[in-house]
Amino acid sequence: MGILLIITFLLLFIAGVPVVYAILLPAIGYVLIEGFPLGLLAQRVTYALDSFPLVAVPIFIFVGNLMNLAGVTDRIFRFADTLVGRAPGGLAQVNIFSSLIFSGMSGAALADVGGLGKIEIEAMRKRGFEAPFSAAVTAASAVVGPIFPPSIPLIVYGSVTSVSIVQLLVAGIVPALICVALLMVTAAVLSLRHKMPRAPRWPTVREVWSALVPALPALLAPVLMIAGMMLGLFTPTEAAAVTAFYVILISSLVYRELTWAHLRDSMLATLKSTSAILIIVAAAALFGWILAVEQVPQDFAKMILTLSTNPIVLLLIANLIFFVAGMFLDSTTATLLVVPVIAPPMVLAGVDPVHLGIVAIFNLMVGLLTPPMGLSLFLVSEIAQISLRQLLKALAPFYVPLIITLGIITFTPDLVLWLPGFLR
Amino acid sequence: MKIARRLVETVCLLLLGALVLVPFAQVLLRDLFNAPIIGAEELTRFLLICVVFVSYPLVVASGENIVMGDIRNALPAPFRRFLNLFTSLAAVAVSGLIAYAVFATIGDNLNNATPTLKIPFWLFLGATFFGFFFAAIIHLVHLRKPPQKSTSVSL
């Protein structure tokens, strides 16, 4: 019955039924057939959201929306342009570097593509970069966002697995920096080979300073948040709220670009995004309960542990499953439906759940860049006005640093768990 | 219809404002004045439930449910029309049934409340009922022309 439920969900999902109904339709059918009381539907769906860590999700979405509307994004981009615009690859390096800084505030890959991505692609085209290359750099660098704190997918992962969200967020820092470094090297090699444009000279100290001053308040936001969490001053949810007020403060008092209309628009956009994501969390709670009743996770655990009990082999299997899941499902749905089934045998075999979280989310984010359901691909090709074929061709070299990062994350748990180790 | 939409938007904006304000106020009061708000976490969780479900009709009305529409869009027009109609009917049925189930559950929970702040459970369940009931109505209104955007939508 559990397998039938999963197959029905996948068929509805592929047919283009909204995810929330694709999950709820088979789940309700199960409840009615098995004769469970209808009150179960109400309670499972409503109380799935009775979770303090999940409160961070709308607040971080709000921060991302606010930054896009209130001019913070522009200043981050200008600062990055001054600092690394002369490096081989010029604006491509700026694009990657800005994504890292921006992701330190928004926490969602597609928010990065949709917000900063528009500015980046337009600026790169104006400076003579080809549209497919500009789009490829934007899509590849957006993968970094969801593993660098704050991260909405990691918060959802933490709430599903009851793993410390602070540890998960902190664990993403080193892998994100490695990924950025590898992406920058790739962009440099490609740009040297194809003689791509870059700034005519390195900036003077005065130029760096004059770009840094307006960007500094924005750059301090992720520092404030990460330091606050690591020092135990506040929880991730409280860190989100503090960051939101900080961004409101700097965009209204320092940058003087925040208007009531901006605030209202960003709040309305936040409401829709939040509801669209978290309604799936609510629906998936019912689905997850049914899978547990049907003992699907237990059966899967038995099956997978007969294959091997070696953590490395199991991590390779997990990589494959998450990668395939990421190719077909969006990250929230995949986290909610796949993680509760995969995580138990992995943890039983000795895989650290924080390490597994980073492996899972990075895989799902790479999935955003792989057909047939690569949402980042669709969004970027739409923004850059290029075909999917052109984008995939330009993106091909960037899969190399992403796969290398995935390998490093998978095979060096000590590296991933180094920073969280300070919190244990 | 416009007035109803504005009203729901205003309520949602106030709920979201409170959702951001409460944890921030908690940090300030706890860390600076050593006077934490009792039950702040409980209130925040309640606000999250209300924000998600009360704004759900806005998501449905603007066609922003998360969906992978690319395979459907590649199908011939008659198949697309059939799938659109099926999607709308399924959405009406699912939303309507959950709204009914929640309504029935509210009656059984009239005397239950949260432990610290004594927020009645019917308020939580009321938000869920509101979200799914009006989602069903909007899906019904748009039965012939689904509001759901035809392209893939995600965050």
Side-chain angles (χ1 to χ4, degrees):
Chain A
M1 193 69 165
I3 300 298
L4 186 68
L5 219 65
I6 294 170
I7 292 171
T8 313
F9 157 72
L10 286 174
L11 287 175
L12 291 169
F13 178 83
I14 290 167
V17 173
V19 176
V20 60
Y21 301 124
I23 293 173
L24 283 175
L25 199 61
I28 289 174
Y30 176 89
V31 168
L32 293 176
I33 291 167
E34 294 292 321
F36 285 108
L38 281 181
L40 183 85
L41 296 177
Q43 287 177 359
R44 287 280 153 193
V45 169
T46 305
Y47 297 123
L49 300 179
D50 188 8
S51 152
F52 189 61
L54 282 180
V55 175
V57 172
I59 308 179
F60 279 129
I61 294 175
F62 173 55
V63 171
N65 286 333
L66 200 62
M67 287 197 311
N68 279 336
L69 283 170
V72 179
T73 315
D74 298 344
R75 285 172 175 87
I76 293 173
F77 187 73
R78 262 179 257 152
F79 167 67
D81 187 14
T82 310
L83 199 65
V84 291
R86 170 63 187 158
L91 271 185
Q93 307 291 10
V94 175
N95 189 331
I96 298 164
F97 192 65
S98 306
S99 289
L100 178 71
I101 302 172
F102 181 81
S103 68
M105 291 176 247
S106 84
L110 296 183
D112 178 8
V113 171
L116 193 59
K118 282 178 198 164
I119 302 170
E120 291 166 339
I121 292 172
E122 206 179 299
M124 284 179 76
R125 289 174 86 162
K126 274 185 192 163
R127 281 218 201 146
F129 285 87
E130 286 185 1
F133 179 76
S134 315
V137 175
T138 303
S141 62
V143 167
V144 175
I147 54 164
F148 192 76
S151 158
I152 290 165
L154 281 176
I155 293 168
V156 174
Y157 175 92
S159 72
V160 170
T161 53
S162 302
V163 172
S164 160
I165 291 174
V166 176
Q167 288 193 22
L168 280 167
L169 294 176
V170 171
I173 295 175
V174 174
L177 293 175
I178 292 171
C179 186
V180 163
L182 291 174
L183 284 170
M184 288 178 106
V185 170
T186 309
V189 171
L190 288 172
S191 59
L192 286 173
R193 186 184 290 176
H194 299 289
K195 295 190 171 55
M196 290 181 195
R198 56 173 161 162
R201 57 177 177 78
W202 286 102
T204 61
V205 176
R206 185 185 290 266
E207 282 167 342
V208 172
W209 178 251
S210 59
L212 175 67
V213 170
L216 195 61
L219 296 172
L220 284 177
V223 177
L224 174 80
M225 186 188 56
I226 295 168
M229 284 193 300
M230 285 204 73
L231 293 173
L233 290 177
F234 27 74
T235 64
T237 302
E238 291 169 350
V242 170
T243 311
F245 271 91
Y246 179 77
V247 171
I248 290 175
L249 202 74
I250 59 169
S251 47
S252 56
L253 298 180
V254 181
Y255 298 147
R256 295 177 181 275
E257 285 191 23
L258 183 67
T259 62
W260 285 109
H262 284 148
L263 197 60
R264 186 177 177 281
D265 289 349
S266 52
M267 286 178 86
L268 278 176
T270 303
L271 283 165
K272 287 185 200 163
S273 303
T274 300
S275 187
I277 293 178
L278 293 187
I279 203 97
I280 296 176
V281 173
L286 178 66
F287 199 86
W289 180 81
I290 294 171
L291 292 186
V293 168
E294 289 292 316
Q295 301 218 316
V296 173
Q298 290 89 332
D299 292 344
F300 180 79
K302 272 185 212 155
M303 189 192 80
I304 210 155
L305 289 173
T306 55
L307 294 176
S308 173
T309 48
N310 182 333
I312 294 292
V313 176
L314 289 176
L315 272 171
L316 284 173
I317 296 171
N319 263 310
L320 189 69
I321 294 171
F322 284 119
F323 189 75
V324 173
M327 284 167 72
F328 292 94
L329 302 174
D330 77 285
S331 63
T332 311
T333 313
T335 308
L336 290 166
L337 298 184
V338 182
V339 167
V341 179
I342 304 284
M346 301 286 155
V347 176
L348 264 177
V351 176
D352 190 288
V354 173
H355 180 214
L356 182 66
I358 303 298
V359 170
I361 300 304
F362 193 78
N363 262 299
L364 295 177
M365 290 307 124
V366 176
L368 288 175
L369 298 179
T370 47
M373 301 284 192
L375 286 171
S376 240
L377 294 177
F378 302 133
L379 187 59
V380 171
S381 58
E382 198 179 306
I383 292 172
Q385 297 286 300
I386 55 170
S387 71
L388 210 53
R389 197 188 174 88
Q390 285 173 302
L391 177 58
L392 283 170
K393 199 176 162 195
L395 196 58
F398 289 98
Y399 287 119
V400 176
L402 295 177
I403 301 294
I404 292 174
T405 309
L406 188 56
I408 294 173
I409 293 175
T410 305
F411 296 115
T412 54
D414 290 345
L415 197 70
V416 176
L417 298 173
W418 174 61
L419 276 177
F422 291 104
L423 300 169
R424 289 178 171 178
Chain B
M1 195 70 179
K2 265 188 180 172
I3 295 172
R5 191 189 172 107
R6 287 298 284 261
L7 191 68
V8 174
E9 280 180 357
T10 308
V11 170
C12 291
L13 288 173
L14 291 172
L15 287 168
L16 181 62
L19 186 73
V20 182
L21 184 66
V22 173
F24 179 68
Q26 174 73 330
V27 171
L28 283 188
L29 290 171
R30 186 190 59 212
D31 294 349
L32 296 183
F33 302 100
N34 202 22
I37 308 167
I38 306 296
E41 195 179 310
E42 196 175 282
L43 177 61
T44 317
R45 296 199 315 258
F46 161 73
L47 285 167
L48 178 69
I49 292 175
C50 291
V51 161
V52 172
F53 290 114
V54 177
S55 9
Y56 188 55
L58 298 175
V59 175
V60 174
S62 51
E64 289 184 29
N65 260 316
I66 292 178
V67 68
M68 300 288 175
D70 300 281
I71 290 182
R72 184 184 52 192
N73 288 344
L75 294 173
F79 283 104
R80 273 206 312 270
R81 275 199 297 275
F82 169 76
L83 282 176
N84 283 341
L85 183 67
F86 171 78
T87 301
S88 289
L89 288 173
V92 171
V94 167
S95 307
L97 193 74
I98 294 209
Y100 169 75
V102 175
F103 187 75
T105 309
I106 288 175
D108 301 333
N109 283 278
L110 286 175
N111 297 321
N112 293 333
T114 58
T116 311
L117 298 175
K118 307 290 175 210
I119 303 168
F121 278 5
W122 63 262
L123 270 175
F124 294 90
L125 293 163
T128 314
F129 172 76
F130 178 91
F132 280 105
F133 179 75
F134 283 100
I137 300 282
I138 295 166
H139 281 302
L140 202 59
V141 168
H142 290 85
L143 197 56
R144 284 180 64 82
K145 187 174 173 283
Q148 184 61 47
K149 282 176 186 164
S150 58
T151 49
S152 292
V153 179
S154 186
L155 242 198

